[in-house]
Amino acid sequence: MTGGPDTGARRHRRAGRGLAGLAVLVAALAWPTPARADPAVTVTPAAARLDQTVTVELTGWPPGVVTVALCGNEARQGSADCAVATAAAATVPDAGTTRVPLRLTPPPAGCPCVVRAVTATGDRAGAAALAVVDVPDSATVSGPAGQADGPRTVELVAARLDERWTLPGLLGGPAERTLRLDLRNPSGTPLRDLVLTLDLGRAAGTGGAPPPVPVPDLAAGERRVVEVPVTIGAPAVGRYPVTGRIDGLDAPVTFTAHTSSWPWLLPVVLPLVVCGVVLARRLRARPGRRGAARPGGAEPDPAYDA
């Protein structure tokens, strides 16, 4: 038995709805997505002197740690033109906007000067012009820095996070770690004024941005293990990435190390605490402790029991 006219009409309607849905899906996929806006940097005031503190406003930045520094030469050579030793760091929230106070110190290159901001991974950067009245102007340079002394670069042999067990960490509190960087200076000249910036990944918002850490000087051809203490804020549970960037070179060196924290002592201690609380309540509720007769057959005194 074949279907009647109503059955055929329903089939046509279902087919029409399916084609309409497919057309909507194709249109949605083909619709151009808005381009991600470049991160913005604003400095207040627009002119300042050395040792003065300015306010750097960051807008449209990805969440995570961003460092800001005063740079000469319009930061054309990146961090090599910047006063990285006195850089300031801040954690950008999910909203993408924050303010950072920055004390101005002399940059390694003359003006035109800018305040440069960069993420810990080095993938996003921005700058804003700043007139620093007591920094002299100099001819801008577009090539790599330090050509007379050889390139300023460092080889990162290894980066790892070693665990430091503490009682609070075993109970879910702050987790203490030691970051060990195996660095080698492949050049024939010493490396000085290097700075390490860290971003603790999803733990960054727990205690603010870690301040930049100066890296010890590296003699020509020297290899050294640099140790940096790292604290992951409570509650530290799970796996954490730690991203770092070494500035003060011709090109920054970035890395990512991972660590994990599992409060395995908490399931042992928590039942003991619960049992202790229950036992204490039962001891307080034992017969004879409250409302018991007083010597001589006197009736219990409510004020005395209280």
Side-chain angles (χ1 to χ4, degrees):
M1 181 176 180
T2 59
D6 291 343
T7 303
R10 284 196 296 270
R11 290 177 179 173
H12 285 297
R13 285 196 296 269
R14 286 197 296 267
R17 287 195 294 267
L19 290 175
L22 180 61
V24 171
L25 178 60
V26 171
L29 294 176
W31 190 267
T33 57
R36 183 175 58 173
D38 292 333
V41 181
T42 306
V43 183
T44 306
R49 291 181 175 274
L50 294 178
D51 290 330
Q52 184 177 342
T53 298
V54 297
T55 300
V56 184
E57 184 173 0
L58 307 175
T59 306
W61 286 79
V65 172
V66 174
T67 55
V68 296
L70 176 64
C71 308
N73 191 29
E74 296 181 333
R76 297 190 180 192
Q77 303 170 117
S79 62
D81 288 332
C82 303
V84 293
T86 55
T91 299
V92 178
D94 292 337
T97 300
T98 190
R99 292 183 177 181
V100 190
L102 174 66
R103 187 177 68 87
L104 303 181
T105 59
C111 286
C113 293
V114 298
V115 172
R116 181 174 182 262
V118 60
T119 60
T121 56
D123 59 338
R124 305 295 297 277
L130 176 65
V132 185
V133 296
D134 46 356
V135 174
D137 291 345
S138 63
T140 58
V141 181
S142 58
Q147 289 296 324
D149 298 328
R152 287 177 59 85
T153 184
V154 67
E155 178 185 351
L156 179 60
V157 181
R160 72 175 189 272
L161 285 162
D162 291 345
E163 298 174 342
R164 289 189 292 152
W165 295 111
T166 62
L167 183 59
L170 295 177
L171 294 174
E176 304 293 336
R177 299 291 184 265
T178 299
L179 174 65
R180 287 185 167 85
L181 300 177
D182 191 350
L183 304 176
R184 188 178 75 88
N185 179 5
S187 68
T189 56
L191 289 177
R192 301 184 178 91
D193 301 325
L194 304 184
V195 175
L196 170 67
T197 302
L198 295 177
D199 187 343
L200 304 185
R202 65 187 182 92
T206 57
V213 179
V215 177
D217 297 343
L218 294 173
E222 180 184 3
R223 180 173 176 178
R224 173 185 296 184
V225 175
V226 178
E227 298 184 354
V228 180
V230 174
T231 301
I232 300 174
V237 180
R239 186 169 173 83
Y240 295 87
V242 175
T243 302
R245 189 185 73 247
I246 301 176
D247 286 315
L249 305 164
D250 291 350
V253 174
T254 61
F255 63 89
T256 301
H258 293 84
T259 186
S260 58
S261 178
W262 305 105
W264 58 266
L265 194 58
L266 188 60
V268 177
V269 174
L270 187 59
L272 297 178
V273 173
V274 172
C275 291
V277 172
V278 172
L279 181 60
R281 289 181 176 178
R282 289 184 176 179
L283 290 176
R284 286 197 299 268
R286 283 176 53 188
R289 293 185 59 86
R290 297 181 59 87
R294 298 295 181 265
E299 291 294 328
D301 186 358
Y304 179 85
D305 290 336

